[in-house]
């Protein structure tokens, strides 16, 4: 999400996340999402990615939770208008299903994504170093998210901006219990909240997202607070890349993300005004 996008968004407590995470079938491999906002705000990149995943998952046979996705933001969308999702079924193997999907308005592609689904298998769980200590959510202060998400931080970033790089977060209104695809879509929606580049880019203005990737390390489940930690990666040529870890309340990493964004100097023009902010 860009700083401009954050200013446009106004929290609407009447819209819960579960209301956004809906797509309706129109025909084989063709879906539509109806608008939930009518106030002229830009279409949130996490919403497009989440609905793309829902459309893909609706075409997958059996019980195959998603394990990864990679998408590209191509054009800015209008949140007051429906979005059509067209899915291509690349392959259904014994264990994996591969899908591609595009999000469309006016016949133009806003976002394209590849997603992979896999039959659940058991195996040893290994993780890297644990994150730095952070107070529990009830000891942290709430921050405005502008989305149907409740976020809390223990410290605000070191300059006036919208981008906390470590925070607790949960969906407003909860999610349907046991619906793995909806929980995965909710994590996808949330994974585009905030950004990890402010630690690296002092004095720069973040612009549109270019591409976004997410990996689910187990069957997606979001029943309470999650902790998100972003780490700056690298920047150059007015493009910056960062990664992030999503952990449950027990500290177990349940998903990882990576994103690339455009940035600019305070006094320079936006490099690509047509791209959809993520």
């Amino acid at each position: 999400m860009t700083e401009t996008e954050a200013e446009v968004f106004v929290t609407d407590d009447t819209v819960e996340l579960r209301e956004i995470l809906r797509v309706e079938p129109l025909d084989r491999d063709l879906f539509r999402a109806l608008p939930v906002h009518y106030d002229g705000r830009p279409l949130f990149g996490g919403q497009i990615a989440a609905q793309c995943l829902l459309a893909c998952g609706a075409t997958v046979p059996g019980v195959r939770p998603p394990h990864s996705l990679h998408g590209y933001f191509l054009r800015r969308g209008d949140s007051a208008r429906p979005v059509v999702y067209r899915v291509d079924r690349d392959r259904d193997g014994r264990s994996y299903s591969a899908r591609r999907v595009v999000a469309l308005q006016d016949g133009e592609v806003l976002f394209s994504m590849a997603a992979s689904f896999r039959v659940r298998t058991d195996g040893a769980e290994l993780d890297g170093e644990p994150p730095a200590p952070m107070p529990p959510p009830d000891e942290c202060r709430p921050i405005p998210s502008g989305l149907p998400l409740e976020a809390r931080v223990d410290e605000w970033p070191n300059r006036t901006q919208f981008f906390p790089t470590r925070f607790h977060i949960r969906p407003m209104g909860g999610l349907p219990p046991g619906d793995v695809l909806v929980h995965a879509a909710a994590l996808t929606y949330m994974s585009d909240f905030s950004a990890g580049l402010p630690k690296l880019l002092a004095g720069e203005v973040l612009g549109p997202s270019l591409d976004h990737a997410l990996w689910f390390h187990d069957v997606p489940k979001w029943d309470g607070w999650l902790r998100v930690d972003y780490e700056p990666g690298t920047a150059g040529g007015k493009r910056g890349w960062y990664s992030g870890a999503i952990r449950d309340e027990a500290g177990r990493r349940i998903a990882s993300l990576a994103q690339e964004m455009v940035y600019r100097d305070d006094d320079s023009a936006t490099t690509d005004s047509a791209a959809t902010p993520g």
Side-chain angles (χ1 to χ4, degrees):
M1 177 188 292
T2 66
E3 205 156 8
T4 301
E5 190 176 26
E7 293 171 357
V8 171
F9 276 138
V10 177
T11 301
D12 184 354
D13 293 334
T14 65
V15 179
E16 295 181 351
L17 183 53
R18 67 173 70 200
E19 296 180 51
I20 295 173
L21 301 178
R22 293 177 180 171
V23 296
E24 59 178 4
L26 298 178
D27 204 334
R28 176 182 164 88
D29 301 338
L30 197 63
F31 302 84
R32 178 177 64 182
L34 297 176
V36 293
H37 303 292
Y38 298 91
D39 52 9
R41 68 182 69 184
L43 189 56
F44 175 49
Q47 177 176 329
I48 305 175
Q51 291 172 344
C52 276
L53 187 64
L54 289 170
C56 288
T59 72
V60 173
V63 181
R64 298 188 178 194
H67 73 86
S68 67
L69 60 87
H70 196 135
Y72 289 88
F73 297 96
L74 304 175
R75 292 180 177 88
R76 185 182 299 273
D78 183 351
S79 66
R81 299 176 56 203
V83 181
V84 173
Y85 296 93
R86 187 180 68 224
V87 179
D88 288 321
R89 307 187 188 207
D90 286 352
R91 182 176 184 269
D92 286 312
R94 288 184 298 176
S95 299
Y96 290 87
S97 291
R99 296 291 186 267
R100 285 174 296 123
V101 59
V102 291
L104 301 157
Q105 280 185 339
D106 282 333
E108 294 189 320
V109 177
L110 307 179
F111 181 76
S112 64
M113 189 176 81
S116 183
F117 300 75
R118 185 193 181 203
V119 174
R120 172 76 168 92
T121 57
D122 293 325
E125 295 186 12
L126 306 172
D127 200 356
E129 295 183 5
M134 182 177 178
D138 58 0
E139 296 179 16
C140 294
R141 69 183 218 179
I143 60 170
S145 73
L147 301 168
L149 299 169
E150 182 183 357
R152 298 192 176 195
V153 296
D154 63 333
E155 58 181 20
W156 195 250
N158 58 11
R159 68 182 181 90
T160 304
Q161 59 178 334
F162 185 77
F163 303 105
T165 54
R166 68 175 193 167
F167 50 89
H168 299 287
I169 196 162
R170 66 181 176 184
M172 292 182 179
L175 298 172
D179 194 325
V180 172
L181 184 59
V182 169
H183 282 239
L187 288 171
T188 303
Y189 181 95
M190 183 278 295
S191 69
D192 197 34
F193 172 72
S194 195
L197 291 177
K199 289 182 179 180
L200 191 66
L201 298 173
E204 306 285 350
V205 176
L206 297 185
S209 301
L210 296 174
D211 60 309
H212 187 83
L214 182 64
W215 296 265
F216 304 99
H217 305 307
D218 200 346
V219 175
K221 185 178 181 181
W222 191 6
D223 291 334
W225 288 101
L226 294 177
R227 175 176 169 178
V228 181
D229 291 86
Y230 289 146
E231 289 298 331
T234 186
K238 299 303 179 183
R239 292 181 295 116
W241 177 91
Y242 67 92
S243 62
I246 302 171
R247 291 181 167 86
D248 62 18
E249 293 179 277
R252 177 172 166 265
R253 185 190 287 239
I254 63 169
S256 299
L257 64 92
Q259 188 171 72
E260 187 179 41
M261 303 178 73
V262 171
Y263 66 90
R264 59 183 172 85
D265 300 326
D266 286 335
D267 58 352
S268 66
T270 303
T271 57
D272 184 0
S273 60
T276 301

